[in-house]
Amino acid sequence: MLRIDDRITIEDWELTEQFTRASGPGGQNVNKVSTAVELRFEAERSPNLPDPVKRRLRRLAGRRWTNDGAVVIFVQDTRHQPRNREIARERLAELIRAAVHVPKRRVPTKPTKGSVRRRLEAKKQRGEVKALRKGPTSPKN
């Protein structure tokens, strides 16, 4: 069982682990030992996640979200299978914690009349400075 917070816990039946051979350095064991972990969490079918959390999790997971509604986390950071398993579970828990957090609604603000006036005056002054840089124009014959 994976504990996310006081209200949300993920049951073991919702998680599927598959071990594969990791790429990269590993010495003599690299072609013999399956140390990489692919953790699969059936998020869409999970009764422990409320619908708003599922929607935010889908957005946060990005390409880790599969078409059948699962979150897939692949870890091959270390040469030790138990440590990779631990890291995968930690990453899943962090992702779900981020989805539990409700983002604050942004309230658009309007600039004050004084700031608008100051901006327009500064633009006018800048335009005058640039206009003074032009030399006198001669009449064309």
Side-chain angles (χ1 to χ4, degrees):
M1 185 166 59
L2 185 64
R3 188 170 189 75
I4 306 300
D5 63 8
D6 295 338
R7 294 168 289 151
I8 299 175
T9 55
I10 305 302
E11 300 298 328
D12 289 333
W13 66 266
E14 299 175 86
L15 299 174
T16 310
E17 291 174 336
Q18 192 173 2
F19 301 100
T20 58
R21 291 189 189 127
S23 62
Q28 296 173 346
N29 283 338
V30 73
N31 294 323
K32 294 188 282 185
V33 182
S34 298
T35 56
V37 178
E38 183 181 281
L39 181 67
R40 185 180 178 90
F41 169 55
E42 301 294 334
E44 196 67 46
R45 296 187 304 153
S46 175
N48 299 322
L49 291 181
D51 284 335
V53 174
K54 286 180 188 177
R55 284 194 299 271
R56 286 191 294 269
L57 180 62
R58 182 179 190 152
R59 193 183 73 243
L60 288 171
R63 62 185 189 139
R64 293 176 289 193
W65 186 275
T66 63
N67 290 336
D68 55 327
V71 177
V72 177
I73 296 177
F74 186 76
V75 178
Q76 59 178 2
D77 294 357
T78 68
R79 293 185 194 177
H80 304 285
Q81 190 183 74
R83 181 64 186 132
N84 281 338
R85 203 173 163 203
E86 229 176 84
I87 292 169
R89 286 173 172 257
E90 288 169 7
R91 287 185 188 169
L92 177 65
E94 286 302 314
L95 192 64
I96 296 172
R97 279 190 202 103
V100 167
H101 174 70
V102 180
K104 212 166 95 173
R105 194 171 159 268
R106 184 186 174 277
V107 179
T109 57
K110 286 173 67 175
T112 62
K113 286 188 178 180
S115 68
V116 171
R117 184 180 47 76
R118 286 190 297 274
R119 183 180 64 86
L120 293 177
E121 284 176 11
K123 283 171 69 82
K124 192 182 291 184
Q125 280 182 344
R126 189 77 186 142
E128 289 172 5
V129 167
K130 289 185 174 191
L132 289 173
R133 286 185 192 152
K134 292 181 182 177
T137 56
S138 61
K140 295 196 176 177
N141 294 346

